[in-house]
Structures are given as structure tokens and as C-alpha cells.
Amino acid sequence: MEKKRDVREGAALLWDGVIEGMPLFAKELIAGGVAGGIAKTAVAPLERIKILFQTRQAEFRSLGLFGSFGKIAKTEGLLGFYRGNGASVARIVPYAALHYMAYEEYRRWIILGVPGVGRGPVLDLIAGSFAGATAVLFTYPLDLVRTKLAYQVVGSPNLNIKGIAAGDQVYKGIRDCFSKTYKEAGARGLYRGVAPSLYGIFPYAGLKFYFYEEMKSHVPEEHKKDIAIKLACGSVAGLLGQTFTYPLDVVRRQMQVQRLSASSSEAMRGTTDTLVMIVQRGGWKQLFSGLSLNYLKVVPSVAIGFTVYDVMKSYLGVPARDEPVIEVIRNRRNSQPSSLHS
């Protein structure tokens, strides 16, 4: 028993040493990745239905939320609600990791590089915007694959691609989807729809951080560390940011699945053409298709994400946000006199 206890204690000390030796950016990557993966899996069923609402309007919107859940459960079973979630998690883990880490890094770079810059919400708007764009560029192909896999519905008559029977699956999994997409259109095909993604994420990521920090600035000092307050501010910020940028998300989804839709014989459309086509066919309301579902998804997703991120940062010993910046500034100031005398 004592041997086992010693082994456990030794392993714990070794692990603590590994964590302590990690650079700050690595800790932020891990915390963000874990938070993103858990939050995304928790809301995967709603994400699947939302994508189907955005891309299969005639087939699923008429059924409504509960009817759509019933159809998926009947035709695909429980696992049907998680179709494409493997690709979603494979994307969201590096995406969330990069997003959080890049946001913290951009924020520190701006503070260090622009003397006298304030710590207000505008700083978070800029840092969040660039962080969102960075994360999208690195992980977009995984989002494309996730959407294509989620779009497939077993036994659907609307999946109409030349050479593929209606009941067959076009893609067998993540690797197969990557391979076929690359063969069809090369690297460019893996980034189809990235333009509206960047148009959307740039303001969304920035606005999300902006609203979050703006609301937190009005919270009494004694309550600023309360998890419940952080979750409430984050949820509202996510909802506001999503509402302003949601139409671009609908355009992106439509572009991602154009080759899979029944009208795939038509020429592939760009961002503006797709936006106009959606409005012409379904009116401006179609640009907000699935938004109510997104609200249901965003609140728990943001709540879980913030909670897990905070827990992981605490576990990994990540200091308060501005502590590393203050330390760097102090070190620079301390080193200046010695450099002058040398």
C-alpha cells in the first residue's frame, strides 16, 4: 500500500512539475481546447438540427424543432444527433484553443506595443476580432467537413449528387470527406465558404469580447470573480454578437453544401450571389433561419465553455489576465538602467 501511495505521490509531483514548466501560451491552449470540446459536445444535437434548418429548409423547417428531433431519432437513432460531431470536436478543440490563446496574446502584444493604451472594451474588440480570424483560417477545413457530414440525412430524397443513389451516404467519415472534397476541388475546395466565415467571425468574436468586458465593467468589484456573473455576461454577449452576424453564418452553410444540394447542377455561387439567392428564394427572414435554435445552443455552450475554461486555467495555474503583462513591463523597466550604463 505504501509503495502504491509513493508511486501516486511521485506521479502527482512529476505532473505538477510538468504543468509548472509549461509556457503560458501552452496552458491557455490546453484550457481553451478542453473548454471548447466539452461545450461543443454538450450542444451537438441542437447544432445538428440548426445546420439542417439552415440547409434543408423544405424538409426540416416544416417539421419544427420537436418534429425534426423525432425524424432524426426515428431514422438514425441516438447517434444521429451526433453525426458530424467528431469533425466538430476535431475542429473546435484547436479552434477554441487558438481563439483563447490568440486573444490573450494579441491583447498582451497591443498593451506592450502601444504605450498608454487603455484596458477597456475597445482593446478586447480588436484583440478578439483578430483572434477569431486567426482561429478560423487555421481550422476552417474541419468546419467544412463537419457541415457536410451533418448535412447528410439517411434516406433523404433531397441528397441528389450525380452517381450517388438517394439512400447512399456521400461521405463515410471525416477522412473520406476530406479526401473526396480535396479530389473534387483541391485545397480551394477545403476553404469554400471561408469568406463569409471571416466576414462573420471578425465582428462576432470582437463584439463578443467587447460586450462581455463592457458588461463586466458595470459589475460591482466584489462580484467580478463570481462564476455565475461571468456566465451571465458571457451568455448575453454571445447572444448579442451572434444576432448581429448570424446571416453570414447562414450564407456560409449554404456555400459549404451547394455541391451536395439538389440544385448542384447550377454554377457555384460566391458570397454575394449566395446572399442574394437566399433572400430571393426565402425572403430576408431566411437569413435568420435557425437563429432561435442558436440561442438555445449559445447559452449553455457559452456557460459550459466559460466554466470549464476557468476551471482549467485554475488547475493549470494560469495567472490573472494582466499579471504576465505587468511582469514583462516591470522586467523591461528594470533592464533599462543597466542597458543605459553599459
Side-chain angles (χ1 to χ4, degrees):
M1 290 290 290
E2 288 183 10
K3 270 189 177 181
K4 287 183 178 179
R5 191 180 305 133
D6 289 342
V7 170
R8 282 198 298 269
E9 288 177 358
L13 287 171
L14 179 63
W15 179 243
D16 288 342
V18 170
I19 291 176
E20 194 173 331
M22 284 182 185
L24 180 60
F25 78 87
K27 293 179 180 180
E28 290 166 349
L29 279 171
I30 293 170
V34 172
I38 293 175
K40 180 61 71 174
T41 300
V43 299
L46 286 168
E47 179 72 11
R48 174 92 201 275
I49 298 296
K50 186 197 81 170
I51 290 175
L52 291 171
F53 271 25
Q54 289 178 330
T55 57
R56 290 179 178 273
Q57 300 91 359
E59 197 174 349
F60 279 88
R61 287 190 67 210
S62 59
L63 294 174
L65 175 60
F66 295 107
S68 297
F69 268 104
K71 178 179 175 67
I72 296 296
K74 185 178 179 180
T75 58
E76 303 179 47
L78 180 63
L79 291 178
F81 293 109
Y82 292 88
R83 183 181 294 279
N85 188 56
S88 184
V89 170
R91 167 198 168 261
I92 203 64
V93 167
Y95 175 84
L98 281 169
H99 197 170
Y100 280 111
M101 186 275 289
Y103 163 70
E104 304 283 8
E105 287 294 323
Y106 283 137
R107 193 176 182 278
R108 286 192 283 266
W109 291 347
I110 294 169
I111 292 173
L112 293 171
V114 184
V117 69
R119 303 293 199 278
V122 174
L123 171 64
D124 299 288
L125 175 69
I126 297 168
S129 295
F130 281 101
T134 300
V136 164
L137 286 173
F138 275 96
T139 62
Y140 185 79
L142 287 166
D143 182 52
L144 179 78
V145 168
R146 183 276 302 263
T147 300
K148 287 190 172 189
L149 290 172
Y151 177 78
Q152 293 183 152
V153 177
V154 174
S156 171
N158 289 351
L159 195 63
N160 184 20
I161 302 178
K162 189 176 180 181
I164 302 292
D168 291 346
Q169 286 182 263
V170 182
Y171 304 116
K172 302 294 190 289
I174 298 174
R175 185 180 297 179
D176 184 53
C177 188
F178 261 115
S179 176
K180 288 180 178 176
T181 302
Y182 185 78
K183 285 178 181 177
E184 286 171 3
R188 192 175 178 181
L190 292 172
Y191 276 88
R192 175 142 192 85
V194 72
S197 292
L198 288 173
Y199 301 154
I201 197 63
F202 206 83
Y204 171 65
L207 286 170
K208 185 173 65 173
F209 284 112
Y210 175 87
F211 288 134
Y212 179 61
E213 294 301 326
E214 177 64 26
M215 285 187 291
K216 273 178 59 180
S217 68
H218 297 290
V219 175
E221 195 63 38
E222 63 271 20
H223 294 296
K224 282 193 174 180
K225 292 186 178 180
D226 293 353
I227 294 295
I229 296 295
K230 289 182 179 181
L231 296 179
C233 291
S235 298
V236 174
L239 291 175
L240 290 173
Q242 187 78 153
T243 302
F244 285 122
T245 60
Y246 190 78
L248 288 166
D249 188 47
V250 176
V251 171
R252 171 170 60 107
R253 299 294 184 202
Q254 288 284 355
M255 290 180 69
Q256 288 175 337
V257 301
Q258 273 182 31
R259 196 176 292 276
L260 297 177
S261 67
S263 59
S264 59
S265 58
E266 299 176 6
M268 300 294 278
R269 303 172 189 269
T271 304
T272 305
D273 289 340
T274 303
L275 179 65
V276 171
M277 179 267 290
I278 292 171
V279 174
Q280 287 177 341
R281 292 184 178 178
W284 65 269
K285 290 183 179 179
Q286 188 59 47
L287 293 173
F288 293 90
S289 176
L291 181 58
S292 58
L293 262 180
N294 220 46
Y295 285 155
L296 293 175
K297 184 196 75 169
V298 164
V299 173
S301 178
V302 171
I304 294 167
F306 269 100
T307 301
V308 176
Y309 184 61
D310 282 341
V311 169
M312 287 300 298
K313 284 201 300 181
S314 177
Y315 175 71
L316 295 171
V318 176
R321 179 187 290 169
D322 286 333
E323 281 183 27
V325 178
I326 294 168
E327 189 64 31
V328 171
I329 292 173
R330 282 176 182 166
N331 290 339
R332 285 186 176 182
R333 285 174 179 171
N334 291 337
S335 66
Q336 280 175 359
S338 59
S339 62
L340 287 171
H341 291 299
S342 59

